[in-house]
Each structure stands twice: as structure tokens, then as C-alpha cells.
Amino acid sequence: MTDVRELARAFRASVPTDDPVEFLRARFDAGLAWVHYPAGLGGLGLPREQQAIVDEELAGTPSNDPRRIGIGLGMAAPTVLRHGTPEQRRRFLRPLWTGEELWCQLFSEPGAGSDLAGLATRAVRDGDGWRVTGQKVWTSMAHRARWAILLARTDPDLPKHRGLTYFVCDMTAPGVDVRPLRQLTGEAEFNEVFLTDVFLPDDLRLGAVGEGWAVARTTLMNERVSIGGGSLPRGGGLIGMLTSLWTDRPDVRTAAAHDEMMRLWVAAEAARLTGVRARQQLAAGDPGPEGSAVKLAFAELAQRITGLELELRGAEGLRHDDWTMRHGEAVDFEGRSPTYRWLRAKGTSIEGGTSEILRNIIAERVLGLPAEPRTDTTVPWRELPR
Ligand SMILES: Cc1cc2nc3c(=O)[nH]c(=O)nc-3n(C[C@H](O)[C@H](O)[C@H](O)COP(=O)(O)OP(=O)(O)OC[C@H]3O[C@@H](n4cnc5c(N)ncnc54)[C@H](O)[C@@H]3O)c2cc1C
């Protein structure tokens, strides 16, 4: 059996480079990027849990900011690994992991967010490739991204789930226009993206023509685990910040807040442990629909915890740190002010699937309750009212 601790120690001793990118490339090539990925693709085919050992041994060495590469890491990588050709895996995974190429997700549209399968962006065959035209919205990181995962309609005569195809979009291709959208916090983390006659060669198609929905489901299930299931220590993250405030500032405590504080701590710990289980499930094979429960719990907790923090801090808590429109790289829950956290948490119950939709998924696919009546699954997309 591979002793991953020994491997990581030997790697650390033999690769003294301080150049962060060179170091990350070498780490990928040694199979110590994500140990559960196959050999040759940054991994060693080992159980996912062993990654923690590697991370411990390589602590303090050059690393990439997981918030900066979050979409690539959490969504694009598992989708490319599962549905990509060997050539696509070789091409995309290494620079994705080293952070040399950032990714974004071109899924949501003005008329198709929760009803993702209703999307209207068209991809039409053109010789050995495709011409893509349409509009996407709320695209986090599009202004920095080199590549995007893109869902487009290739057959409007089929019912909405069946006429979709999944592509990797070249964000530098002519016809890709990225425009910032300012949000509640003042930042423009996300953008509108206009695609006008963008040519994508067929080797940027991920999965078979018309199979885009199945590919997108891999992305969506991973997205929910990756949004909700980050590996936090007990009492870490937002609940940790709230607990510190409670401990350090006796002047802000009240009896009513004490009860809410306890409820939140218990709920945060339950959500954290559910996240641990969801990641074990992910390691064992596919992330199940249960990942939706993790994302739902984290989103609701983020709003309640940041709300209680503002309440405890009173007027002082309402001071926003910076209203400059920044076209930033990452969500910064821990580095910014309480107001930023509270405002930014509003989006957690929308991004990656709204809480209402996640409850539908849990009801139907985890609990087996009757499904919402649907009248549009057999009708050609072209005939659906829009
Ligand atoms: C901060 C942030 C970042 C984002 N980043 C990205 C990104 O990088 N890439 C990307 O593609 N998208 C991104 N999104 C978009 C996000 O995924 C969508 O906003 C989300 O899926 C909801 O779609 P919608 O906004 O069109 O709302 P709608 O689908 O119009 O929904 C409106 C309301 O109706 C409810 N609703 C709709 N249908 C049902 C139903 N069947 N049952 C019960 N309730 C229902 C919804 O839950 C919601 O409350 C981001 C959003 C946010 C807030």
C-alpha cells in the first residue's frame, strides 16, 4: 500500500523550489495534487481522505487559493474527469489545479436559472465545430477566466432536457463579451456574458451531443457539495467568528442571543458533520442528491450567523468597510467587515441552486415524496411558452 505520508515528505525534501507555479506543477506531477484522482492526472488513485495527510505534510509550501480556483476545482474538474476524453483531461486538469488557468460557469441565463434545462443559448454545427450565440448571467469570475463550462441548446425540437450539449468555452474566443454586474456588497464578483457567433471546435465538446443534461448533473451535484461541504474544523468558519465575538465581548451578550447562539452552534456542527459525510460519499463514488441538504444548511446558517453578528454588534456592526466597485477574485467572508458578510450571505441561498429548489430535490430524490407536477418534459423546447 502507498504510504502517502512518506511520499509527501520525500517530495517536500526533493523539490526545494520557491517558485509557486513550478512547485504546484511538480506537486501535480507527483500525484500529490488530489490523491484520489488517477495517476498521471495529479493523483494516485487513493482514497480521498488521504489528501488531508498530504496537505498536512506540505503545509507552508506554495499553494493556490481554493477560493480563486473554486469553480475549476469544485465543478469543472470532476466533470472533465468523468466525461472528458483522455486528451481533454490531459489538457485541462493540470493548469486548472495549479491556478494558471481559471474557470467560470456559463449556466444561468436571464430566463433560465432554477429552470436550467429551459436555457436558450444555441450551439449550431459549423464544419468541425459549433457556433454559439446567447446570453448568460451571474457568471462569477468570467472576467478572470480562461475557460468556462457551458451548457447550450443543440436541438430545439427535442424536449428541454434532451436537446442540450455541454461544452468547454474558450473565454478568449472572438464573440465572448464579459460585462461586470455590481451586486449588493458593492463588488462585481459576477458578470453578464454575451456570446455572439462564438466558434468552438468540436474537441471542446464535453460528452456526447444531446447528453448535456447528464453531464450538467455531475457538475451540479459536485457544486452543492463544494459550496456546502468545505472541510472546516469544529467551531471554524463563520460560527467560529461568532463564538469569538461572544467570548471576547461580554458587553454584547443578552439572554435571548444566548439561546440563538446555542441553536446556531449546534446546527453549524450538525451541518459540518453532514458535510463530512457528503464528502465521504463523494470519495466512494458519486456525490448523491444528499449534497443538496449540505448546501441548503450552510446557506441558511450563513444568513442566520451573519445576522446575529450584526445584531450583537449594533450600530458599530453596520459600518460597511468599502463600497468601491471591485471586480474581485474571491468571496471573502472572513477577511471583510460584518456588514460585508451579512450582505454577501444573501447570495448563498441563491447561488448554486436556490434553497427552494434544493428542498424540491431533497423531497423528491432523497425522501421519495411525490414530484411537482411537470407539464413540459415531453414537449419540444421550441413549443414551450417563454
Ligand atoms: C452570488 C451568486 C453567484 C452566482 N454565480 C453563478 C455562476 O458563476 N454561474 C452561473 O451559471 N450562475 C451563477 N449564479 C446564478 C444562480 O445559480 C441562479 O441565480 C439561481 O440558480 C437561481 O436562478 P434565478 O436567479 O434565475 O431565479 P429563478 O429561477 O427565477 O427563481 C426565482 C425564485 O423562484 C423560486 N423557484 C423557481 N422555480 C421553483 C420551483 N419549481 N419550486 C419552488 N420555487 C421555485 C426560486 O427558488 C427563487 O426563489 C450565481 C448567483 C449568485 C447569487
PDB file of all heavy atoms in Angstrom, residues 211-235:
ATOM      1  N   GLU A 211     -26.312  15.013 -24.815  1.00  0.00           N
ATOM      2  CA  GLU A 211     -26.200  14.419 -23.466  1.00  0.00           C
ATOM      3  C   GLU A 211     -25.825  15.463 -22.414  1.00  0.00           C
ATOM      4  O   GLU A 211     -25.374  15.132 -21.320  1.00  0.00           O
ATOM      5  CB  GLU A 211     -25.136  13.308 -23.455  1.00  0.00           C
ATOM      6  CG  GLU A 211     -25.478  12.100 -24.300  1.00  0.00           C
ATOM      7  CD  GLU A 211     -26.727  11.397 -23.792  1.00  0.00           C
ATOM      8  OE1 GLU A 211     -26.885  11.280 -22.567  1.00  0.00           O
ATOM      9  OE2 GLU A 211     -27.560  11.002 -24.624  1.00  0.00           O
ATOM     10  N   GLY A 212     -26.001  16.735 -22.761  1.00  0.00           N
ATOM     11  CA  GLY A 212     -25.542  17.812 -21.877  1.00  0.00           C
ATOM     12  C   GLY A 212     -26.168  17.794 -20.498  1.00  0.00           C
ATOM     13  O   GLY A 212     -25.535  18.168 -19.514  1.00  0.00           O
ATOM     14  N   TRP A 213     -27.413  17.349 -20.399  1.00  0.00           N
ATOM     15  CA  TRP A 213     -28.074  17.378 -19.089  1.00  0.00           C
ATOM     16  C   TRP A 213     -27.410  16.405 -18.119  1.00  0.00           C
ATOM     17  O   TRP A 213     -27.184  16.725 -16.955  1.00  0.00           O
ATOM     18  CB  TRP A 213     -29.578  17.092 -19.229  1.00  0.00           C
ATOM     19  CG  TRP A 213     -30.284  17.314 -17.921  1.00  0.00           C
ATOM     20  CD1 TRP A 213     -30.853  16.376 -17.128  1.00  0.00           C
ATOM     21  CD2 TRP A 213     -30.448  18.571 -17.247  1.00  0.00           C
ATOM     22  NE1 TRP A 213     -31.366  16.959 -15.989  1.00  0.00           N
ATOM     23  CE2 TRP A 213     -31.128  18.304 -16.041  1.00  0.00           C
ATOM     24  CE3 TRP A 213     -30.079  19.889 -17.546  1.00  0.00           C
ATOM     25  CZ2 TRP A 213     -31.454  19.313 -15.131  1.00  0.00           C
ATOM     26  CZ3 TRP A 213     -30.396  20.882 -16.641  1.00  0.00           C
ATOM     27  CH2 TRP A 213     -31.086  20.590 -15.455  1.00  0.00           C
ATOM     28  N   ALA A 214     -27.071  15.219 -18.625  1.00  0.00           N
ATOM     29  CA  ALA A 214     -26.413  14.228 -17.757  1.00  0.00           C
ATOM     30  C   ALA A 214     -25.061  14.770 -17.288  1.00  0.00           C
ATOM     31  O   ALA A 214     -24.669  14.602 -16.125  1.00  0.00           O
ATOM     32  CB  ALA A 214     -26.225  12.916 -18.508  1.00  0.00           C
ATOM     33  N   VAL A 215     -24.332  15.436 -18.205  1.00  0.00           N
ATOM     34  CA  VAL A 215     -23.025  15.989 -17.834  1.00  0.00           C
ATOM     35  C   VAL A 215     -23.231  17.107 -16.798  1.00  0.00           C
ATOM     36  O   VAL A 215     -22.516  17.189 -15.793  1.00  0.00           O
ATOM     37  CB  VAL A 215     -22.278  16.516 -19.085  1.00  0.00           C
ATOM     38  CG1 VAL A 215     -20.875  16.989 -18.703  1.00  0.00           C
ATOM     39  CG2 VAL A 215     -22.199  15.449 -20.164  1.00  0.00           C
ATOM     40  N   ALA A 216     -24.249  17.949 -17.039  1.00  0.00           N
ATOM     41  CA  ALA A 216     -24.511  19.066 -16.120  1.00  0.00           C
ATOM     42  C   ALA A 216     -24.874  18.565 -14.728  1.00  0.00           C
ATOM     43  O   ALA A 216     -24.548  19.200 -13.723  1.00  0.00           O
ATOM     44  CB  ALA A 216     -25.629  19.945 -16.667  1.00  0.00           C
ATOM     45  N   ARG A 217     -25.519  17.423 -14.661  1.00  0.00           N
ATOM     46  CA  ARG A 217     -25.886  16.893 -13.327  1.00  0.00           C
ATOM     47  C   ARG A 217     -24.646  16.536 -12.524  1.00  0.00           C
ATOM     48  O   ARG A 217     -24.617  16.720 -11.312  1.00  0.00           O
ATOM     49  CB  ARG A 217     -26.824  15.708 -13.470  1.00  0.00           C
ATOM     50  CG  ARG A 217     -28.246  16.226 -13.677  1.00  0.00           C
ATOM     51  CD  ARG A 217     -29.245  15.135 -13.848  1.00  0.00           C
ATOM     52  NE  ARG A 217     -29.247  14.225 -12.715  1.00  0.00           N
ATOM     53  CZ  ARG A 217     -30.212  13.357 -12.475  1.00  0.00           C
ATOM     54  NH1 ARG A 217     -31.266  13.317 -13.282  1.00  0.00           N
ATOM     55  NH2 ARG A 217     -30.159  12.537 -11.464  1.00  0.00           N
ATOM     56  N   THR A 218     -23.619  16.038 -13.200  1.00  0.00           N
ATOM     57  CA  THR A 218     -22.350  15.784 -12.487  1.00  0.00           C
ATOM     58  C   THR A 218     -21.850  17.105 -11.905  1.00  0.00           C
ATOM     59  O   THR A 218     -21.444  17.184 -10.737  1.00  0.00           O
ATOM     60  CB  THR A 218     -21.280  15.232 -13.462  1.00  0.00           C
ATOM     61  OG1 THR A 218     -21.774  14.046 -14.052  1.00  0.00           O
ATOM     62  CG2 THR A 218     -19.970  14.960 -12.748  1.00  0.00           C
ATOM     63  N   THR A 219     -21.884  18.165 -12.725  1.00  0.00           N
ATOM     64  CA  THR A 219     -21.402  19.467 -12.253  1.00  0.00           C
ATOM     65  C   THR A 219     -22.225  19.948 -11.066  1.00  0.00           C
ATOM     66  O   THR A 219     -21.682  20.378 -10.044  1.00  0.00           O
ATOM     67  CB  THR A 219     -21.528  20.512 -13.385  1.00  0.00           C
ATOM     68  OG1 THR A 219     -20.936  19.998 -14.560  1.00  0.00           O
ATOM     69  CG2 THR A 219     -20.874  21.829 -12.991  1.00  0.00           C
ATOM     70  N   LEU A 220     -23.546  19.882 -11.194  1.00  0.00           N
ATOM     71  CA  LEU A 220     -24.419  20.466 -10.172  1.00  0.00           C
ATOM     72  C   LEU A 220     -24.291  19.734  -8.834  1.00  0.00           C
ATOM     73  O   LEU A 220     -24.257  20.359  -7.779  1.00  0.00           O
ATOM     74  CB  LEU A 220     -25.872  20.453 -10.641  1.00  0.00           C
ATOM     75  CG  LEU A 220     -26.171  21.315 -11.881  1.00  0.00           C
ATOM     76  CD1 LEU A 220     -27.606  21.116 -12.349  1.00  0.00           C
ATOM     77  CD2 LEU A 220     -25.913  22.800 -11.611  1.00  0.00           C
ATOM     78  N   MET A 221     -24.193  18.412  -8.893  1.00  0.00           N
ATOM     79  CA  MET A 221     -24.094  17.675  -7.627  1.00  0.00           C
ATOM     80  C   MET A 221     -22.758  17.958  -6.946  1.00  0.00           C
ATOM     81  O   MET A 221     -22.684  18.094  -5.734  1.00  0.00           O
ATOM     82  CB  MET A 221     -24.322  16.195  -7.851  1.00  0.00           C
ATOM     83  CG  MET A 221     -25.805  15.928  -8.114  1.00  0.00           C
ATOM     84  SD  MET A 221     -26.294  14.232  -7.914  1.00  0.00           S
ATOM     85  CE  MET A 221     -25.725  13.547  -9.430  1.00  0.00           C
ATOM     86  N   ASN A 222     -21.700  18.096  -7.750  1.00  0.00           N
ATOM     87  CA  ASN A 222     -20.404  18.455  -7.158  1.00  0.00           C
ATOM     88  C   ASN A 222     -20.417  19.878  -6.631  1.00  0.00           C
ATOM     89  O   ASN A 222     -19.812  20.182  -5.607  1.00  0.00           O
ATOM     90  CB  ASN A 222     -19.290  18.294  -8.199  1.00  0.00           C
ATOM     91  CG  ASN A 222     -18.856  16.844  -8.301  1.00  0.00           C
ATOM     92  OD1 ASN A 222     -18.177  16.345  -7.420  1.00  0.00           O
ATOM     93  ND2 ASN A 222     -19.283  16.166  -9.340  1.00  0.00           N
ATOM     94  N   GLU A 223     -21.122  20.755  -7.343  1.00  0.00           N
ATOM     95  CA  GLU A 223     -21.202  22.161  -6.932  1.00  0.00           C
ATOM     96  C   GLU A 223     -21.801  22.259  -5.540  1.00  0.00           C
ATOM     97  O   GLU A 223     -21.315  22.996  -4.690  1.00  0.00           O
ATOM     98  CB  GLU A 223     -22.056  22.923  -7.945  1.00  0.00           C
ATOM     99  CG  GLU A 223     -22.313  24.379  -7.571  1.00  0.00           C
ATOM    100  CD  GLU A 223     -22.995  25.184  -8.683  1.00  0.00           C
ATOM    101  OE1 GLU A 223     -23.488  24.553  -9.641  1.00  0.00           O
ATOM    102  OE2 GLU A 223     -23.019  26.407  -8.590  1.00  0.00           O
ATOM    103  N   ARG A 224     -22.853  21.497  -5.300  1.00  0.00           N
ATOM    104  CA  ARG A 224     -23.519  21.610  -3.999  1.00  0.00           C
ATOM    105  C   ARG A 224     -22.633  21.121  -2.876  1.00  0.00           C
ATOM    106  O   ARG A 224     -22.575  21.726  -1.814  1.00  0.00           O
ATOM    107  CB  ARG A 224     -24.844  20.862  -4.048  1.00  0.00           C
ATOM    108  CG  ARG A 224     -25.852  21.769  -4.735  1.00  0.00           C
ATOM    109  CD  ARG A 224     -26.991  21.108  -5.386  1.00  0.00           C
ATOM    110  NE  ARG A 224     -27.503  22.028  -6.391  1.00  0.00           N
ATOM    111  CZ  ARG A 224     -28.295  21.696  -7.369  1.00  0.00           C
ATOM    112  NH1 ARG A 224     -28.678  20.447  -7.511  1.00  0.00           N
ATOM    113  NH2 ARG A 224     -28.702  22.587  -8.226  1.00  0.00           N
ATOM    114  N   VAL A 225     -21.913  20.024  -3.122  1.00  0.00           N
ATOM    115  CA  VAL A 225     -21.016  19.552  -2.060  1.00  0.00           C
ATOM    116  C   VAL A 225     -19.890  20.570  -1.887  1.00  0.00           C
ATOM    117  O   VAL A 225     -19.489  20.894  -0.780  1.00  0.00           O
ATOM    118  CB  VAL A 225     -20.442  18.159  -2.381  1.00  0.00           C
ATOM    119  CG1 VAL A 225     -19.480  17.722  -1.289  1.00  0.00           C
ATOM    120  CG2 VAL A 225     -21.560  17.150  -2.513  1.00  0.00           C
ATOM    121  N   SER A 226     -19.390  21.128  -3.024  1.00  0.00           N
ATOM    122  CA  SER A 226     -18.236  22.015  -2.871  1.00  0.00           C
ATOM    123  C   SER A 226     -18.632  23.340  -2.234  1.00  0.00           C
ATOM    124  O   SER A 226     -17.847  23.938  -1.513  1.00  0.00           O
ATOM    125  CB  SER A 226     -17.503  22.224  -4.198  1.00  0.00           C
ATOM    126  OG  SER A 226     -18.174  23.124  -5.014  1.00  0.00           O
ATOM    127  N   ILE A 227     -19.865  23.823  -2.458  1.00  0.00           N
ATOM    128  CA  ILE A 227     -20.281  25.065  -1.798  1.00  0.00           C
ATOM    129  C   ILE A 227     -20.520  24.805  -0.315  1.00  0.00           C
ATOM    130  O   ILE A 227     -20.095  25.560   0.539  1.00  0.00           O
ATOM    131  CB  ILE A 227     -21.566  25.650  -2.437  1.00  0.00           C
ATOM    132  CG1 ILE A 227     -21.256  26.158  -3.851  1.00  0.00           C
ATOM    133  CG2 ILE A 227     -22.117  26.812  -1.594  1.00  0.00           C
ATOM    134  CD1 ILE A 227     -22.446  26.776  -4.560  1.00  0.00           C
ATOM    135  N   GLY A 228     -21.198  23.708  -0.023  1.00  0.00           N
ATOM    136  CA  GLY A 228     -21.583  23.480   1.367  1.00  0.00           C
ATOM    137  C   GLY A 228     -20.593  22.684   2.171  1.00  0.00           C
ATOM    138  O   GLY A 228     -20.579  22.734   3.388  1.00  0.00           O
ATOM    139  N   GLY A 229     -19.744  21.959   1.495  1.00  0.00           N
ATOM    140  CA  GLY A 229     -19.000  20.930   2.215  1.00  0.00           C
ATOM    141  C   GLY A 229     -17.524  21.176   2.377  1.00  0.00           C
ATOM    142  O   GLY A 229     -16.749  20.241   2.436  1.00  0.00           O
ATOM    143  N   GLY A 230     -17.112  22.432   2.436  1.00  0.00           N
ATOM    144  CA  GLY A 230     -15.696  22.715   2.666  1.00  0.00           C
ATOM    145  C   GLY A 230     -15.244  22.082   3.971  1.00  0.00           C
ATOM    146  O   GLY A 230     -16.041  21.936   4.900  1.00  0.00           O
ATOM    147  N   SER A 231     -13.953  21.684   4.050  1.00  0.00           N
ATOM    148  CA  SER A 231     -13.553  20.983   5.270  1.00  0.00           C
ATOM    149  C   SER A 231     -13.156  21.989   6.351  1.00  0.00           C
ATOM    150  O   SER A 231     -12.077  22.567   6.305  1.00  0.00           O
ATOM    151  CB  SER A 231     -12.397  20.028   4.974  1.00  0.00           C
ATOM    152  OG  SER A 231     -11.477  20.686   4.152  1.00  0.00           O
ATOM    153  N   LEU A 232     -14.054  22.208   7.274  1.00  0.00           N
ATOM    154  CA  LEU A 232     -13.813  23.141   8.371  1.00  0.00           C
ATOM    155  C   LEU A 232     -13.542  22.336   9.636  1.00  0.00           C
ATOM    156  O   LEU A 232     -14.113  21.272   9.835  1.00  0.00           O
ATOM    157  CB  LEU A 232     -15.081  23.960   8.629  1.00  0.00           C
ATOM    158  CG  LEU A 232     -15.417  25.082   7.655  1.00  0.00           C
ATOM    159  CD1 LEU A 232     -16.779  25.656   8.015  1.00  0.00           C
ATOM    160  CD2 LEU A 232     -14.353  26.159   7.700  1.00  0.00           C
ATOM    161  N   PRO A 233     -12.709  22.872  10.524  1.00  0.00           N
ATOM    162  CA  PRO A 233     -12.598  22.219  11.830  1.00  0.00           C
ATOM    163  C   PRO A 233     -13.842  22.535  12.664  1.00  0.00           C
ATOM    164  O   PRO A 233     -14.572  23.486  12.334  1.00  0.00           O
ATOM    165  CB  PRO A 233     -11.366  22.882  12.441  1.00  0.00           C
ATOM    166  CG  PRO A 233     -11.269  24.207  11.758  1.00  0.00           C
ATOM    167  CD  PRO A 233     -11.868  24.044  10.387  1.00  0.00           C
ATOM    168  N   ARG A 234     -14.078  21.778  13.713  1.00  0.00           N
ATOM    169  CA  ARG A 234     -15.212  22.059  14.596  1.00  0.00           C
ATOM    170  C   ARG A 234     -15.094  23.497  15.127  1.00  0.00           C
ATOM    171  O   ARG A 234     -14.012  23.925  15.549  1.00  0.00           O
ATOM    172  CB  ARG A 234     -15.170  21.069  15.767  1.00  0.00           C
ATOM    173  CG  ARG A 234     -16.160  21.393  16.840  1.00  0.00           C
ATOM    174  CD  ARG A 234     -15.942  20.467  18.016  1.00  0.00           C
ATOM    175  NE  ARG A 234     -16.947  19.428  17.973  1.00  0.00           N
ATOM    176  CZ  ARG A 234     -17.374  18.794  19.062  1.00  0.00           C
ATOM    177  NH1 ARG A 234     -16.876  19.055  20.229  1.00  0.00           N
ATOM    178  NH2 ARG A 234     -18.305  17.877  18.958  1.00  0.00           N
ATOM    179  N   GLY A 235     -16.206  24.215  15.036  1.00  0.00           N
ATOM    180  CA  GLY A 235     -16.186  25.594  15.521  1.00  0.00           C
ATOM    181  C   GLY A 235     -15.402  26.542  14.620  1.00  0.00           C
ATOM    182  O   GLY A 235     -15.012  27.625  15.040  1.00  0.00           O
TER     183      GLY A 235
END
